[in-house]
Amino acid sequence: MLRLAAASLAGTAIEFYDFFVYGTAAALVLGPLFFPTFSPVAGTLAAFGTFGVGFVARPLGSILFGHFGDRHGRRPVLVASLLLTGASTVAVGCVPSYGSIGVAAPVLLLVLRFLQGLGLGGEWGGAVLLTAEHAPAGRRGLWSSFPQIGPAVGFLLANGVMLALSATLTDAQFGQWGWRVPFWVAGALALGGLWLRSSLVESPRFLEIDDHARVPLAEVVRDHWRLVLLTAGALSVGYAIFYAVTTWSLAYGTERLGVGRTVMLACIMAAVVVKGSLTPLVALLSDRYGRRPLCLLGCAAAALWMLPMVALLATGAPLLMFLGFLGALLAFVTMFAVLGAYLPELYEPRVRCTGAAVGYNLGGVLGGALTPIVATALAEHGGRVPWGVGAYLTGVALFSLGCFALLPETRPVATAVPEPAVG
């Protein structure tokens, strides 16, 4: 289990590195380079628009790769998704700017971001299911949390490289070529991930299935549509929080508050370190106390903390900003640490790869794709303290709280919860 969990964590970290490095670049440099005819705010909104395309592609990726995962196994999905995401990320680092090839530059950026999202949409389902379906029922929450640490590790890798480049290069050097380096690094990371995953074995739960779904998506839509919508709505707050902290606040702090790139990245990264470190502990609590209670607690905490978070951000003081980010990510991890066990347990094994991944990635569209765009627009028309952003995030948290309240508990059930309980 330890070897399997470590390989899943490493692969997930690499794929999320690819995804996050684009978000950081969108907040810092992509607007001026690829949308130079726009105003600074409009350029940032346009860059975040291409960022959001990746989230729109993720449910499509979960449908595509979920079909193969439910029909042919979880393991092949991990290899194919890693190849697609890695190749498209390296290609982003090679796209010429608007000044070199004109409108073709943002079009290429849009296409490659779509391919990134397509690959990541398949990654999460395969990695989490392979771990969850190998894990003993009494410790499924703990072992399934290892892939959930991957996003934190990927974010730290992406922003660590950006931070090092930002601290050592001039603004001109960073804008000309420095921002491309993290995208090129993705190629070496993808090769390492493929090597790690070459030794993984297929899920025993998948091998036990005698009658595989012919069209998994059709079964999910027919029999589990309510469950998919509830999980998507429930998870939207987690995405909203994470990308408000890691993407929108980075742009807001550097552009509106005048805080240096290095300071903002350091504050965000410190909060993410704490969040990632606590993930296994929270997941272990879910094995003892249940998945749903922790999700409800995290949603309630998020609803209470969003307004204080934006107030602390508006101070521009590093320590206070860090505390604001930390409170938000603690609420986030209370929910998302348990999802590696919770979502697979909600769906029956024959359509689990499709159902769990589609619900997870639809939540990303609702929370992750829209939040940087909505928050940037709201902050533009507010004062120094972006209360509108805090109110928006609070509303998302309350919406997700209602969705979680309608979902059942799954611990310690080893397979799917009967559908009549949820739909």
Side-chain angles (χ1 to χ4, degrees), residues 3-16 74-85 119-120 122-128 130-131 147 150 189-202:
R3 183 178 61 187
L4 174 65
S8 294
L9 187 160
T12 308
I14 292 165
E15 293 238 28
F16 275 91
R74 324 307 194 198
R75 185 176 177 273
V77 168
L78 298 183
V79 176
S81 63
L82 186 59
L83 279 171
L84 177 59
T85 309
L120 191 61
E123 160 65 26
W124 184 88
V128 166
L130 200 63
T131 307
L189 293 177
L191 292 176
L194 290 172
W195 176 77
L196 284 171
R197 289 183 166 179
S198 64
S199 62
L200 297 181
V201 296
E202 186 53 76

Side-chain angles (χ1 to χ4, degrees), residues 98-118:
Y98 185 94
S100 299
I101 60 173
V103 73
V107 170
L108 284 173
L109 205 62
L110 201 68
V111 171
L112 293 171
R113 179 60 176 172
F114 181 86
L115 293 176
Q116 264 193 331
L118 205 67

Side-chain angles (χ1 to χ4, degrees), residues 137-156:
R139 283 290 180 264
R140 184 176 294 125
L142 174 62
W143 289 114
S144 300
S145 72
F146 279 76
Q148 291 296 84
I149 303 172
V153 176
F155 177 83
L156 292 172

Side-chain angles (χ1 to χ4, degrees), residues 70 74 133 205-206 209 347-353 415-416:
D70 284 323
R74 324 307 194 198
E133 291 181 342
R205 191 68 190 90
F206 173 80
I209 301 173
Y347 292 86
E348 59 178 302
R350 58 185 274 120
V351 295
R352 183 174 283 163
C353 196
T415 56

